[in-house]
């Protein structure tokens, strides 16, 4: 029985589903399929039952064949052809004085279709460029404008962490990133420190945000009065990942203590909802370790 097969055409591209049409395929196989831009060579990344078709985009085109030595030879010739296409494209852009930055050029498997990626601050009328480029290269040409994040994804590079950009190595889609994520993680709100080379907020801000949010729900805010083994104190800082808080005593001494070593001195008011973060306006009324009632 045939099944759907997930293919990736570049290492960091989305996965597209095709019908295996009964071919015996395994993970890592290279196969040839018909795409919207002509023939393409993709790598098998996974499988899905045929009854999952209703949950995926349809219709599903069939896998034509396993890649052959001729297909690999064709792929090996493409980088040189793409380099020539970029050189010709840059020449025409300069000649036509177009306000655009060329990023990369990609041929399909049989070199019948060329896609040229570019960035620009505004809309560009590139109809003349397409016509001249098609006439010069004798191929069908498509120009595609991309944003800053996609530009970085295409060009690749290394981030401040020393690793290859996430978008160029494993991210398939760009998830929304907001300044609130930096606030939750107590990161500096200086755009220069939390932005990537694309000029947008770092994608990695979203990786641990939910973990920080969950941990913070269990921790008292700064300014909260607490009881410790050595007396009452006020929370002045948090060590979220280690689940510890920094407290300050009336003497000015500061200590970092685990959450299980402190007790909150606030209790909720009548009708007040209980939450992971204590209300600083609540009335203090708890018993200390000796059993006497203590009030601030």
């Amino acid at each position: 029985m045939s099944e759907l097969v997930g293919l990736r055409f570049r290492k960091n591209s989305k996965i597209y589903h095709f019908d295996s049409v009964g071919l015996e395929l395994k993970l890592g196989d290279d196969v040839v399929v018909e795409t919207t831009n002509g023939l393409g060579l993709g790598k098998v990344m996974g499988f899905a039952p045929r009854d999952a078709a209703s949950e995926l985009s349809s219709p599903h085109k069939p896998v034509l064949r396993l890649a052959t030595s001729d297909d690999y030879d064709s792929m090996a010739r493409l980088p040189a052809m793409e380099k020539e296409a970029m050189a010709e494209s840059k020449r025409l852009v300069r000649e036509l004085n177009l306000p655009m930055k060329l990023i990369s050029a990609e041929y399909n498997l049989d070199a019948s279709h060329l896609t040229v990626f570019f960035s620009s601050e505004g809309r560009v009328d590139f109809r003349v460029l397409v016509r001249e480029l098609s006439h010069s290269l004798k191929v069908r040409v498509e120009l595609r404008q991309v944003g800053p994040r996609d530009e970085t994804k295409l060009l690749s590079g290394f981030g401040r962490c020393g690793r290859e950009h996430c978008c160029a190595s494993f991210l398939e889609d760009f998830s929304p990133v907001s300044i609130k994520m930096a606030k939750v993680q107590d990161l500096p709100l200086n755009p220069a420190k939390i932005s990537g080379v694309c000029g947008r907020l770092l994608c990695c801000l979203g990786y641990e945000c939910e973990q920080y949010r969950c941990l913070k729900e269990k921790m008292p805010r700064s300014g909260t009065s607490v009881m410790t083994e050595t007396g009452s104190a006020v929370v002045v800082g948090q060590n979220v990942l280690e689940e510890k808080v920094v407290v300050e005593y009336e003497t000015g001494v500061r200590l970092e203590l685990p959450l299980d070593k402190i007790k909150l001195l606030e209790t909720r008011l009548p009708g007040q909802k209980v939450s992971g973060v204590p209300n600083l306006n609540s009335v203090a009324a708890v018993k200390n370790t000796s059993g006497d009632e203590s009030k601030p």
Side-chain angles (χ1 to χ4, degrees), residues 120-174:
S120 176
E121 294 183 358
R123 294 178 63 87
V124 180
D125 185 354
F126 49 72
R127 288 174 294 181
V128 176
L129 174 61
V130 171
R131 185 171 62 250
E132 293 295 327
L133 199 55
S134 299
H135 178 74
S136 175
L137 299 177
K138 303 295 187 295
V139 68
R140 186 160 57 98
V141 176
E142 175 189 357
L143 262 72
R144 189 176 301 174
Q145 185 173 359
V146 300
R149 290 185 183 273
D150 288 295
E151 180 179 352
T152 303
K153 184 182 183 77
L154 289 168
L155 294 176
S156 188
F158 294 87
R160 64 187 64 192
C161 60
R163 299 176 64 89
E164 187 179 13
H165 295 314
C166 299
C167 58
S169 56
F170 66 87
L171 286 183
E172 298 178 9
D173 296 298
F174 293 109

Side-chain angles (χ1 to χ4, degrees), residues 43-294:
K43 185 176 292 293
V44 176
M45 304 301 297
F47 302 91
R50 196 68 186 88
D51 55 12
S54 59
E55 302 176 9
L56 302 170
S57 59
S58 58
H60 299 89
K61 294 184 177 181
V63 173
L64 299 180
R65 63 176 186 274
L66 282 167
T68 65
S69 57
D70 290 339
D71 294 322
Y72 290 124
D73 290 340
S74 297
M75 287 294 295
R77 289 192 293 267
L78 293 183
M81 297 175 62
E82 291 167 350
K83 185 177 180 179
E84 293 177 2
M86 277 294 290
E88 180 64 12
S89 300
K90 290 179 179 179
R91 184 188 69 80
L92 289 172
V93 167
R94 289 194 300 268
E95 186 177 298
L96 297 172
N97 194 29
L98 295 175
M100 56 196 301
K101 174 187 175 183
L102 298 179
I103 300 172
S104 66
E106 292 183 2
Y107 275 105
N108 67 333
L109 181 60
D110 59 3
S112 62
H113 183 278
L114 174 69
T115 304
V116 179
F117 298 92
F118 73 95
S119 63
S120 176
E121 294 183 358
R123 294 178 63 87
V124 180
D125 185 354
F126 49 72
R127 288 174 294 181
V128 176
L129 174 61
V130 171
R131 185 171 62 250
E132 293 295 327
L133 199 55
S134 299
H135 178 74
S136 175
L137 299 177
K138 303 295 187 295
V139 68
R140 186 160 57 98
V141 176
E142 175 189 357
L143 262 72
R144 189 176 301 174
Q145 185 173 359
V146 300
R149 290 185 183 273
D150 288 295
E151 180 179 352
T152 303
K153 184 182 183 77
L154 289 168
L155 294 176
S156 188
F158 294 87
R160 64 187 64 192
C161 60
R163 299 176 64 89
E164 187 179 13
H165 295 314
C166 299
C167 58
S169 56
F170 66 87
L171 286 183
E172 298 178 9
D173 296 298
F174 293 109
S175 300
V177 183
S178 68
I179 196 69
K180 290 183 179 179
M181 294 179 176
K183 292 180 179 179
V184 169
Q185 299 171 74
D186 298 321
L187 295 173
L189 302 184
N190 183 346
K193 294 184 177 181
I194 56 175
S195 297
V197 297
C198 61
R200 301 295 191 266
L201 292 175
L202 290 164
C203 293
C204 56
L205 290 179
Y207 296 170
E208 299 177 350
C209 183
E210 189 59 32
Q211 179 184 6
Y212 271 86
R213 185 177 288 111
C214 292
L215 290 174
K216 277 194 167 185
E217 288 180 352
K218 302 186 298 182
M219 305 185 74
R221 294 175 179 173
S222 295
T224 303
S225 298
V226 296
M227 178 62 69
T228 72
E229 294 178 346
T230 54
S232 62
V234 177
V235 176
V236 294
Q238 299 174 329
N239 185 338
V240 179
L241 292 183
E242 293 187 12
E243 298 189 58
K244 296 180 179 179
V245 294
V246 179
V247 300
E248 182 176 305
Y249 296 91
E250 292 183 357
T251 59
V253 175
R254 292 190 176 191
L255 292 177
E256 186 177 72
L257 301 173
L259 284 179
D260 59 0
K261 297 296 183 181
I262 64 172
K263 293 183 179 179
L264 300 183
L265 290 181
E266 282 82 13
T267 60
R268 62 191 177 109
L269 294 171
Q272 177 185 349
K273 294 182 178 180
V274 179
S275 64
V277 180
N279 190 322
L280 302 185
N281 296 322
S282 58
V283 178
V286 300
K287 293 184 178 180
N288 59 23
T289 54
S290 62
D292 299 327
E293 188 174 276
S294 174

